[in-house]
Amino acid sequence: MARPNDEVQALLQEYADLVAITGGDAFKARAYEKAARAIGGYPADIATLDAAGLREIPNVGRSIADKVTEYLRTGKMTVVEERRAKIPAGVRELIAIPGLGPKKALRLYEDLRIASVSQLAAAIEADALADLKGFGEKTQENIRHGIELLRRAGGRVPLSVALDTAEEIVAELSRVTGCRRCAYAGSLRRMRETVGDLDVLVAAQRSDAFMAALSELPATAEVIARGTKKTSVRTAKGLQVDLRVVPPQSWGAAMQYFTGAKAHNIRTRTIAVHQGLKLSEYGLFDTESGRSLASRTEEEVYARLGLPWIAPTLREDRGEIEAALHGELPEVVTDKDIRGDLHTHTDLTDGLAPLEEMVEAAAQRGYRYYAVTDHAPGLSMQRMTDEKILAQRERLRELDGTRRRMRLLHGTELNIGPDGEVDWPAEFLAGFDLCVASLHSHFDLGRAAMTRRLVRACENPYVSILGHPTTRLIGRRQGVDADWDAVFAACARTGTALEVNAQPDRLDLGDEDILRAREHGVRFAVNTDAHAVPHLAYLRYGVGIAQRGWLTPDDVINTWPLTRLRRFLRKGR
């Protein structure tokens, strides 16, 4: 169900990892990593390109284009399969552990014959790595945390993967004759950052055709159970899909029943019981007479319980029932409220598309304003210079207002150093419309030092937004350790917005941190951190997480008119 671009990206990234594991040329591994990113971020479907078209993608040369062509033609890439055969599958699994790179994975296998995550966990507990060079106490502790992260993720998949799969299934089932309604529910509809399984609902009079259609989808690898009311399958990527077919008149009740978290549903069923009612996936019924009182829409089910409709992203039993009863339920921010993106990149640094393409893509999304924030010199690998950024500013000013009257903001993503310092002196920073400041290194500072570092960055009068604040990578890297309440208080005091980074592997801040920060009176910016044109569509994930954090449009600075936004970005200067 993934785009060919995504499939090839994963394959090339795996090849880069395999090259590194087997002691291959580091430059070759890096070349394949770059090609993987470029293909993953390429806006067109690579299946429509010939070899010459593939070579027009940045970082894709003749050799890599030939391998991609082979995969598109045969479904396999010979060099990858040859590399896979050189090492046990368990060793390849080891590099999925956050904090354990290819070289260490190979050393574990060669020296201790460790070829699985469970063997590595046991070896650490038995102190069997103590004499192995490069595996000191700190490294072992990091690996232990990495294993915990991996196990915690379990069979869960990222929000973006689950959403792509669900939308494909919904589209297929919606075409089946007799389908009145079809939608996904469950934790995906609540926009959880990871999803364990998919709940898909169909409203129809008969179920047979839908159960058969799901079982026969190309992505279905295994039929777990098939019945008249429910069928469960597992996709080729290991994601379980549960399909339920309900009568059309029960649609609203079913969506309410299968969307909320368990705790939320217990609360709504308890409210029903206290009113002499019974709530199920088929409707809200009078207990004594059995008469249906509400079922067709979620709104009428909630209304009959004495509640307003509650947005799916809030249905976690985190106070939404009480807020609804007291008329204090927030009108959460939506995609339509977002007027512009305030954190994006171009190929001037590590982005994949030129400035003009990113600007045009943003204009097509209907934005009122759009910021370009390429990396500053603190990340030396990006080779940024004063001359380059000033030339970009001049070109941006030329483009300003030419794309559907969308206004362009020139910004930069600054690197927060170990002591909280940022790139460029104050007089140079004064020339930018906005500055995003982010952590990109030194993630292991102690709690007190990390807190001071972040607070000092917020206190910089030119830092408007704290980018991907915790630096977490979901399932791969824990966020940095800091006194977050102190950081949130500093953001509120200095007028620094906290970013809700919409990159699917970040979603940073997460919803629980948003809820805490909101109590401090912090403002937020929902940004994509786009490094390619397709990444601009990641906004939906950031908005979903913002909703889970109860954010309203007034909480989010990039829903504001440009005049109000500019005042905020100046931080009172």
Side-chain angles (χ1 to χ4, degrees):
M1 294 185 183
R3 293 190 314 154
N5 303 47
D6 299 330
E7 294 171 354
V8 171
Q9 178 182 11
L11 205 57
L12 293 178
Q13 181 59 57
E14 181 187 357
Y15 185 62
D17 292 338
L18 292 171
V19 169
I21 291 174
T22 53
D25 186 346
F27 291 102
K28 181 176 183 179
R30 181 62 179 154
Y32 276 88
E33 286 179 358
K34 288 182 177 180
R37 288 185 63 248
I39 288 174
Y42 195 66
D45 184 345
I46 60 168
T48 64
L49 304 178
D50 57 15
L54 289 169
R55 290 197 297 273
E56 292 181 4
I57 301 175
N59 300 313
V60 177
R62 181 179 300 276
S63 176
I64 292 176
D66 289 344
K67 292 177 177 63
V68 174
T69 301
E70 177 195 6
Y71 174 77
L72 294 174
R73 186 180 68 252
T74 67
K76 65 180 182 179
M77 201 175 285
T78 304
V79 293
V80 176
E81 296 189 355
E82 290 174 349
R83 289 274 179 171
R84 284 173 177 167
K86 291 182 179 181
I87 55 175
V91 177
R92 298 201 301 272
E93 292 173 9
L94 290 179
I95 64 172
I97 300 172
L100 184 67
K103 291 182 179 179
K104 282 187 167 60
L106 183 61
R107 186 176 301 155
L108 287 168
Y109 177 69
E110 290 179 339
D111 293 5
L112 300 176
R113 312 312 288 179
I114 292 174
S116 72
V117 175
S118 59
Q119 287 178 358
L120 178 55
I124 291 175
E125 293 307 314
D127 201 25
L129 275 58
D131 297 327
L132 197 60
K133 185 179 179 181
F135 287 85
E137 187 175 330
K138 181 67 173 178
T139 298
Q140 291 188 53
E141 185 60 29
N142 289 338
I143 294 173
R144 184 182 287 108
H145 282 308
I147 292 173
E148 289 175 4
L149 279 174
L150 199 64
R151 287 175 171 171
R152 202 179 304 154
R156 302 184 71 84
V157 302
L159 171 63
S160 57
V161 173
L163 193 53
D164 286 346
T165 302
E167 290 180 338
E168 182 81 17
I169 291 172
V170 167
E172 291 289 340
L173 296 181
S174 295
R175 286 192 280 267
V176 176
T177 301
C179 179
R180 300 278 191 88
R181 302 281 297 271
C182 182
Y184 55 82
S187 59
L188 178 58
R189 191 174 177 223
R190 301 198 310 276
M191 296 295 280
R192 287 282 303 273
E193 61 194 34
T194 61
V195 175
D197 52 54
L198 294 180
D199 293 293
V200 177
L201 300 182
V202 165
Q205 298 292 356
R206 298 177 60 85
S207 65
D208 293 356
F210 301 96
M211 303 310 187
L214 179 65
S215 301
E216 295 164 8
L217 285 178
T220 296
E222 174 190 4
V223 178
I224 300 170
R226 179 169 169 176
T228 57
K229 294 182 179 180
K230 177 184 174 183
T231 289
S232 298
V233 303
R234 186 168 285 109
T235 70
K237 292 188 175 181
L239 186 62
Q240 181 170 321
V241 181
D242 297 326
L243 169 64
R244 294 173 176 85
V245 178
V246 299
Q249 63 270 22
S250 297
W251 178 256
M255 286 296 286
Q256 192 281 329
Y257 189 89
F258 289 111
T259 293
K262 181 179 179 180
H264 175 90
N265 288 349
I266 289 174
R267 295 292 303 278
T268 54
R269 288 200 297 270
T270 300
I271 291 173
V273 169
H274 288 164
Q275 296 179 19
L277 308 175
K278 179 183 177 182
L279 179 61
S280 74
E281 64 266 45
Y282 297 107
L284 187 61
F285 300 92
D286 181 89
T287 304
E288 291 187 4
S289 67
R291 183 168 60 93
S292 176
L293 303 176
S295 64
R296 292 188 176 276
T297 69
E298 285 189 316
E299 287 83 355
E300 70 177 33
V301 171
Y302 277 110
R304 186 61 183 79
L305 292 173
L307 298 167
W309 180 78
I310 299 174
T313 44
L314 301 182
R315 301 180 197 176
E316 297 283 354
D317 191 29
R318 294 195 292 200
E320 71 277 6
I321 298 292
E322 291 77 8
L325 289 170
H326 291 92
E328 298 172 353
L329 203 62
E331 291 286 339
V332 290
V333 64
T334 69
D335 294 34
K336 293 180 180 179
D337 294 318
I338 302 296
R339 297 183 184 224
D341 201 331
L342 301 179
H343 182 179
T344 69
H345 297 271
T346 74
D347 62 358
L348 184 63
T349 53
D350 59 345
L352 300 174
L355 172 66
E356 291 78 5
E357 289 185 15
M358 294 298 290
V359 168
E360 179 59 32
Q364 289 178 6
R365 293 183 65 84
Y367 285 152
R368 305 291 294 276
Y369 46 79
Y370 177 73
V372 175
T373 56
D374 276 312
H375 289 288
L379 289 181
S380 57
M381 69 186 74
Q382 306 303 340
R383 299 180 179 178
M384 177 57 80
T385 65
D386 295 7
E387 293 73 23
K388 284 182 180 180
I389 200 73
L390 291 175
Q392 182 188 68
R393 182 178 299 165
E394 183 176 349
R395 178 56 180 151
L396 200 77
R397 298 301 183 232
E398 293 173 357
L399 294 172
D400 187 21
T402 65
R403 301 298 197 274
R404 306 183 188 186
R405 298 185 179 180
M406 180 180 71
R407 301 307 306 270
L408 298 177
L409 304 176
H410 191 229
T412 183
E413 184 179 11
L414 303 169
N415 184 57
I416 303 174
D419 295 324
E421 74 279 6
V422 298
D423 322 63
W424 282 314
E427 57 270 19
F428 196 86
L429 293 179
F432 290 100
D433 295 314
L434 78 159
C435 296
V436 179
S438 308
L439 300 174
H440 295 104
S441 63
H442 299 86
F443 300 139
D444 58 352
L445 293 183
R447 181 181 178 87
M450 187 66 76
T451 303
R452 286 194 300 272
R453 178 187 189 186
L454 290 165
V455 169
R456 184 180 176 194
C458 293
E459 290 173 342
N460 187 304
Y462 295 100
V463 171
S464 308
I465 300 170
L466 192 60
H468 45 76
T470 75
T471 79
R472 74 168 183 176
L473 294 174
I474 297 171
R476 290 189 288 146
R477 184 173 75 207
Q478 290 180 311
V480 297
D481 184 19
D483 180 347
W484 287 106
D485 285 305
V487 175
F488 298 155
C491 286
R493 171 172 53 83
T494 61
T496 306
L498 284 164
E499 182 174 70
V500 180
N501 189 294
Q503 288 280 327
D505 62 344
R506 289 190 184 275
L507 301 180
D508 182 14
L509 285 176
D511 57 346
E512 293 183 358
D513 284 330
I514 293 172
L515 286 165
R516 285 172 58 192
R518 188 169 174 266
E519 293 298 314
H520 288 272
V522 178
R523 300 296 192 179
F524 301 82
V526 181
N527 299 323
T528 64
D529 193 2
H531 284 65
V533 168
H535 296 175
L536 294 173
Y538 289 164
L539 180 72
R540 65 194 302 198
Y541 310 130
V543 169
I545 298 303
Q547 290 180 349
R548 290 180 57 79
W550 291 45
L551 296 188
T552 68
D554 193 56
D555 294 320
V556 179
I557 65 172
N558 48 325
T559 69
W560 298 352
L562 183 58
T563 302
R564 183 184 179 191
L565 173 65
R566 285 190 184 276
R567 285 200 303 268
F568 179 88
L569 295 176
R570 290 190 60 79
K571 295 183 73 170
R573 295 193 307 271

